[in-house]
């Protein structure tokens, strides 16, 4: 398994909704990442080289699988919280008493306020993630509203390391990323009338940025794909690249994951399942609409067809047979025949133990 860190060299604009320029996400969905890698791959190896790779994905023999690109802080990677976790099952009187034992009167929490904060947690540290994938109920050991930093749940030891790296005394002073709206002005060419608008951008603290996992299933593509990702770092990813946004330096590292089979899997990427591939009855999921514009050398300023996909963190029961889930979603608009248009929808599936 490969970890690819995208070490930022500029601010990013990672739009989630069309025509909403003020907002930006703080991570990159796998379909956006895949599309960007494909465009960089074509720059290096030509259209024929890209079509050879895409044919493998079309035939369900992907040479590599990727996760979405999530935050890292120092040496700590973050992962999406499995959506099968129901905080109500783990917040009880024992947890409340434990948290309030050494707190001042004005800092004590009740069950309602604690649940309210926990339900805002979207990501957890790698240590917590691998523990809850082993046994979901272990999440109870990490419940602490004071360990939630910008929607990410850390454990005590990790926060101690982060406070040292950031040079702060209190955990609440840690800022892994920051978002702001930058004002801009557009001037009408005929009337010279001005109109102000705002553009959202996200920046990252020193030694913080984004990373994704890559499961290289065909080793012969390693050099080519990593070269394309390095080129992508110079081209930029996300919106507003003509202003220098989205640039990064790619760093690759091998990691060993001790993953044992479980009864469910959690996806670390967007997931577009095949027909009857999973049962929604046994799933815990969120849906996300994916639309946007086509970006290629031949076609621009045309919308892709919109599809609905399962978000990162969605959990489903493992079926019998293949361990490969999802595929490419055909989003080519009617009337376009210059090339195919896809959304990447292969699940980056990690086994997770969910109580029956």
């Amino acid at each position: 398994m490969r970890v690819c860190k995208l070490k930022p060299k500029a601010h990013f604009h990672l739009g989630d909704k069309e025509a909403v320029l003020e907002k930006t996400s703080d991570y990159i969905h796998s379909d956006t990442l895949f599309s960007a890698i494909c465009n960089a791959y074509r720059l290096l190896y030509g259209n024929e080289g890209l079509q050879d790779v895409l044919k493998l994905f079309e035939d369900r023999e992907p040479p590599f699988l990727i996760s979405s690109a999530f935050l890292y802080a120092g040496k700590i990677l973050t992962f999406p919280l499995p959506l099968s976790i129901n905080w109500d099952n783990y917040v009880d009187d024992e947890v409340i008493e434990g948290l309030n034992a050494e707190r001042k009167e004005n800092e004590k929490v009740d069950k309602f306020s604690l649940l309210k904060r926990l339900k805002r947690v979207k990501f957890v540290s790698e240590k917590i993630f691998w523990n809850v994938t082993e046994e979901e109920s272990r999440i109870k050991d990490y419940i602490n509203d004071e360990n939630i930093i910008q929607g990410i749940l850390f454990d005590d030891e990790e926060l101690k390391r982060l406070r040292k790296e950031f040079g702060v005394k209190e955990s609440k002073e840690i800022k892994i990323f920051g978002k702001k709206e930058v004002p801009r002005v557009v001037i009408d060419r005929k009337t010279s009338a001005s109109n102000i608008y705002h553009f959202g951008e996200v920046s990252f603290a020193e030694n913080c940025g984004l990373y994704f996992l890559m499961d290289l299933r065909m080793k012969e593509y390693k050099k080519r794909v990593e070269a394309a990702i390095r080129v992508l770092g110079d081209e930029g990813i996300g919106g507003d690249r003509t202003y220098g946004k989205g640039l990064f330096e790619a760093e690759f590292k091998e990691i060993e994951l001790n993953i044992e089979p479980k009864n469910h899997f959690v996806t670390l990427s967007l997931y577009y399942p095949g027909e009857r591939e999973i049962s929604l009855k046994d799933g815990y999921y969120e849906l996300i609409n994916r639309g946007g514009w086509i970006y290629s050398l031949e076609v621009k300023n045309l919308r892709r067809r919109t599809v609905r996909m399962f978000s990162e963190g969605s959990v489903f029961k493992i079926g019998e047979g293949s361990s490969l889930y999802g595929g490419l979603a055909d989003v080519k608009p009617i009337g376009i025949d210059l090339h195919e248009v896809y959304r990447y929808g292969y699940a980056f599936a990690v086994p997770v133990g969910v109580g029956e």
Side-chain angles (χ1 to χ4, degrees):
M1 191 76 68
R2 305 282 284 171
V3 175
C4 176
K5 282 189 173 180
L6 314 181
K7 304 171 80 169
K9 294 164 65 178
H11 297 172
F12 286 66
H13 174 76
L14 307 171
D16 258 350
K17 292 184 179 179
E18 291 180 49
V20 182
L21 300 178
E22 300 90 344
K23 303 296 181 185
T24 176
S25 176
D26 47 42
Y27 69 100
I28 306 172
H29 292 296
S30 51
D31 57 349
T32 299
L33 184 60
F34 180 77
S35 175
I37 292 173
C38 285
N39 276 294
Y41 195 96
R42 181 177 177 177
L43 288 176
L44 274 177
Y45 306 110
N47 189 44
E48 188 175 336
L50 175 61
Q51 295 307 319
D52 289 343
V53 173
L54 286 178
K55 183 71 167 54
L56 294 171
F57 282 95
E58 291 170 341
D59 294 342
R60 297 186 59 74
E61 296 179 352
F64 61 90
L65 296 176
I66 58 172
S67 71
S68 295
F70 306 113
L71 288 163
Y72 72 84
K75 295 181 179 179
I76 302 172
L77 308 180
T78 69
F79 290 78
L81 177 74
L83 295 176
S84 55
I85 291 176
N86 183 350
W87 293 109
D88 295 84
N89 295 337
Y90 302 110
V91 176
D92 52 25
D93 292 341
E94 180 187 8
V95 171
I96 300 293
E97 290 175 11
L99 291 176
N100 289 335
E102 297 182 0
R103 293 188 180 185
K104 299 176 182 175
E105 191 59 36
N106 62 347
E107 296 174 346
K108 294 185 185 298
V109 293
D110 55 28
K111 184 174 182 179
F112 176 77
S113 61
L114 179 59
L115 283 172
K116 189 176 179 182
R117 288 215 64 188
L118 289 173
K119 288 179 179 179
R120 293 174 184 165
V121 172
K122 297 294 184 185
F123 298 93
V124 295
S125 70
E126 55 184 310
K127 180 178 179 180
I128 298 175
F129 178 79
W130 293 118
N131 264 298
V132 298
T133 54
E134 192 66 28
E135 174 53 55
E136 185 183 279
S137 61
R138 293 181 186 176
I139 193 68
K140 187 174 180 178
D141 299 334
Y142 299 103
I143 292 178
N144 188 342
D145 57 318
E146 293 183 345
N147 287 1
I148 302 171
I149 306 297
Q150 296 187 294
I152 308 166
L153 179 63
F154 295 92
D155 83 340
D156 294 337
E157 187 273 333
E158 289 169 332
L159 278 179
K160 183 179 178 182
R161 284 161 50 194
L162 286 179
R163 286 196 298 272
K164 187 175 181 181
E165 288 185 32
F166 279 77
V168 297
K169 293 182 179 179
E170 302 290 336
S171 297
K172 59 185 178 184
E173 298 176 68
I174 297 172
K175 297 294 181 187
I176 300 169
F177 65 90
K179 294 180 182 179
K180 64 180 179 181
E181 295 180 8
V182 180
R184 289 189 183 169
V185 175
V186 61
I187 299 177
D188 189 288
R189 290 183 179 179
K190 292 183 178 179
T191 65
S192 297
S194 61
N195 184 29
I196 191 169
Y197 68 101
H198 290 80
F199 210 93
E201 63 181 35
V202 57
S203 58
F204 301 91
E206 189 175 353
N207 294 325
C208 298
L210 299 167
Y211 84 95
F212 65 92
L213 298 177
M214 181 163 59
D215 180 7
L216 202 61
R217 301 163 72 98
M218 296 183 184
K219 306 300 181 188
E220 60 268 34
Y221 282 91
K222 176 175 175 289
K223 288 185 178 178
R224 286 191 160 218
V225 175
E226 291 187 355
I229 294 169
R230 288 193 172 92
V231 168
L232 179 60
D234 295 331
E235 291 286 313
I237 187 169
D240 225 17
R241 295 188 298 278
T242 52
Y243 287 81
K245 288 190 174 63
L247 306 179
F248 62 85
E249 178 185 348
E251 179 184 281
F252 299 93
K253 185 179 178 183
E254 195 77 25
I255 61 166
E256 293 290 333
L257 301 180
N258 184 21
I259 300 174
E260 297 181 358
K262 300 288 189 310
N263 55 357
H264 287 66
F265 72 85
V266 56
T267 178
L268 303 184
S269 61
L270 293 183
Y271 174 33
Y272 185 76
E275 190 174 355
R276 298 180 182 177
E277 188 170 277
I278 51 167
S279 168
L280 296 184
K281 180 183 175 183
D282 302 312
Y284 308 84
Y285 56 86
E286 287 180 354
L287 292 169
I288 180 171
N289 288 333
R290 302 298 289 163
W293 302 85
I294 299 172
Y295 179 81
S296 73
L297 295 179
E298 293 84 2
V299 182
K300 289 185 175 66
N301 300 323
L302 278 177
R303 290 178 183 275
R304 313 176 197 194
R305 286 189 294 159
T306 299
V307 292
R308 303 189 85 185
M309 306 173 85
F310 292 112
S311 71
E312 302 90 347
S314 295
V315 175
F316 298 98
K317 196 166 187 174
I318 288 178
E320 298 180 0
S322 173
S323 60
L324 184 65
Y325 298 92
L328 297 181
D330 182 356
V331 293
K332 185 170 69 172
I334 296 173
I336 298 297
D337 54 6
L338 291 172
H339 58 68
E340 301 299 320
V341 184
Y342 293 118
R343 279 279 186 195
Y344 179 83
Y346 279 99
F348 197 97
V350 173
V352 57
V354 176
E356 298 288 353

